[in-house]
């Protein structure tokens, strides 16, 4: 899903809500990617993983991004991408069944508009033995809907000559705050 930074700052957390009837999943992944094709990971970032312990998975995956997030400029766009981090079948899974991740969807009027926050597309990674380019399907694979993820932004700290650490920005409301 395409997002835009609400102010100069970093992502502190991202919380993904899933439905618990997934199959063949050992972990869920989250990546911060460029909006430009071929959608590489943003500089200095890595794929993050949240365990999905089979039937004990509560369906909520929280990612700590504070030490991993790049500093975004105000209104800077990026993709927040989720996926299957690890495939692992449970004993009760039917043999030969493809893994799937069941996501609750929410109505987003901009899901089909590539240049606006909320734009959604599927990015399909290559198989391990294939070329390293991603394929994209979309926009708007779920017809005006997208997955449910909540992010928390905090203002970035900047160095000044008179102080080694100073907070920039102000409290901006729901899920975005100054330090």
């Amino acid at each position: 899903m395409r997002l835009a930074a609400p102010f100069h700052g970093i992502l502190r957390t991202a919380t993904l809500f899933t439905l618990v009837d997934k199959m063949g999943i050992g972990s869920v992944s989250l990546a911060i990617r460029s909006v430009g094709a071929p959608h590489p990971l943003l500089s200095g970032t890595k794929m993050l993983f949240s365990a999905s312990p089979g039937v004990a998975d509560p369906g909520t995956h929280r990612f700590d991004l504070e030490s991993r997030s790049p500093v975004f400029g105000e209104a800077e766009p990026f993709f927040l991408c989720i996926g299957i981090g690890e495939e692992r079948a449970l004993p009760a899974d039917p043999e030969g069944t493809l893994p799937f991740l069941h996501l609750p969807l929410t109505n987003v009027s901009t899901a089909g508009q590539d240049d606006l926050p909320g734009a959604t597309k599927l990015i399909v990674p290559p198989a391990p033995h294939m070329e390293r380019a991603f394929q994209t399907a979309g926009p708007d694979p779920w017809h005006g809907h997208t997955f449910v993820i909540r992010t928390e932004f905090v203002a970035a700290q900047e160095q000044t000559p008179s102080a080694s650490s100073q907070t920039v920005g102000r409290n901006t409301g729901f899920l975005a705050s100054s330090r």
Side-chain angles (χ1 to χ4, degrees):
M1 176 190 331
R2 182 182 177 125
L3 298 173
F7 48 79
H8 178 80
I10 63 169
L11 282 163
R12 178 184 281 171
T13 61
T15 305
L16 173 69
F17 301 96
T18 67
L19 299 173
V20 295
D21 61 336
K22 44 189 155 295
M23 187 177 294
I25 305 295
S27 70
V28 177
S29 67
L30 180 125
I32 306 169
R33 296 188 176 278
S34 168
V35 295
H39 312 293
L41 290 171
L42 288 184
S43 180
T45 67
K46 294 181 180 178
M47 187 93 67
L48 299 172
F49 301 92
S50 174
S52 179
V55 295
D57 187 334
T60 303
H61 297 272
R62 186 175 171 98
F63 298 89
D64 178 13
L65 300 167
E66 191 163 14
S67 64
R68 297 171 174 99
S69 174
V71 176
F72 293 98
E74 183 174 348
E76 183 178 346
F78 60 95
F79 274 136
L80 203 53
C81 301
I82 56 105
I84 297 171
E86 175 193 8
E87 294 180 17
R88 182 176 57 215
L90 293 173
D93 291 346
E95 190 172 324
T97 303
L98 292 175
F100 72 88
L101 183 61
H102 194 174
L103 301 171
L105 300 178
T106 189
N107 186 17
V108 175
S109 62
T110 58
Q113 299 178 29
D114 273 339
D115 59 340
L116 294 176
T120 302
K121 61 174 64 178
L122 297 178
I123 300 174
V124 182
H129 63 282
M130 304 296 281
E131 61 186 58
R132 299 302 303 166
F134 286 89
Q135 297 176 7
T136 59
D140 200 14
W142 297 301
H143 310 288
H145 293 79
T146 194
F147 58 92
V148 179
I149 192 162
R150 180 173 43 200
T151 60
E152 180 183 6
F153 267 86
V154 292
Q157 295 182 349
E158 293 183 7
Q159 302 293 328
T160 63
S162 61
S164 62
S165 177
Q166 182 179 12
T167 300
V168 176
R170 63 185 191 285
N171 191 330
T172 59
F174 183 69
L175 291 180
S177 61
S178 297
R179 287 191 202 190

